[in-house]
Amino acid sequence: MTPFAFSCLITASISLFFGTFVYLKKRKFLLGKLWGAVSFMVALWSMGLFGVITSHQENTAMVWQDILDISAIFIPVTFLHFVVCFLNCSRRIKRRMYFFYGAAIFLAIFSFSHWYKLGLVRMKGFNFWIEPGPLYFIFPLYFLGVTGYALYLLASSYFHSEGFKKTQIKYTFIASIIGFGGGATNFLPQLINVYPIGNYIVSFYVLVIFYIIIHYQFLNLKIIATEILITIASIALLVDIFLSRSLILALVKAAIFLAFIYLGQLSIKSVWREIKRRKQLEKLTAELKRSLLNEESQRQEIERLAKELRRSNASLQ
């Protein structure tokens, strides 16, 4: 397995794991669903790219290429929708999402035509790579335009925000530059015949988000430690599937991988429940302390009034 193919698996595994976790944790909120959608599309795109560059049969590689194209088309529009929801943009901006989703659907259908791609070609370092059609350039323009608009919204909101929200926007912007900047280099081989070296840093956006979590305490450190251990083990299990020498062995390893993911999610949920119970206990303890302090202050006030009353009685006598 080449380093490039391995980087695709890492990106797919990390995106799928953290996307699933956020979705399960925040599925009642639109923001959680949208981030889950973005992560799922990135994972699907990365797996599609892995399939294209490692397949030995052109027909199989073409199926992976179709998966890659469709998921790549929906990455920027789902990310833009996430940004619009995250920033709580105006209705006017939210209505524009209909146009962007319409463009994505049209481009996804168009991606099956020979105007979009002529097929696949052999390329040094990869088994297959896309051979662009005469109108393929529309896709890079669409990708850069939609992503650029999302970054523009983040930058504009940054200068009009303050405090904790401003910090969130800043690091979301940085993570987006890293992720989309690296992913955009995958246009280079078919456009100007340059190696897509930026693909190696696509998964680094997770490290930026990890820094945000640690530095600004978006999540409890115990949860983060649990997630990291489960993620590392999941990546190892996923890579091991593709190293299998038979289909039966691959299916067995895939079943083990899915079971591990399921048990990992249960483990994280149990940690969340423990933290929730601990916070509830801390809250009850704080309320009890406040109640005791109030009772003590009331007792002292009663004693003071009693003393004054006794002094008043004594002076009257």
Side-chain angles (χ1 to χ4, degrees), residues 9-27:
L9 285 182
I10 290 178
T11 300
S13 301
I14 292 176
S15 299
L16 183 61
F17 181 84
F18 281 98
T20 302
F21 173 75
V22 172
Y23 174 78
L24 293 176
K25 177 63 183 173
K26 300 291 185 180
R27 61 181 177 273

Side-chain angles (χ1 to χ4, degrees), residues 222-256:
K222 188 174 182 180
I223 294 175
I224 295 172
T226 304
E227 288 180 349
I228 291 174
L229 291 174
I230 293 175
T231 300
I232 293 173
S234 299
I235 292 173
L237 290 173
L238 183 61
V239 171
D240 193 43
I241 293 173
F242 291 92
L243 297 178
S244 302
R245 296 186 177 181
S246 66
L247 178 60
I248 295 177
L249 184 59
L251 292 175
V252 171
K253 290 181 179 179
I256 295 174

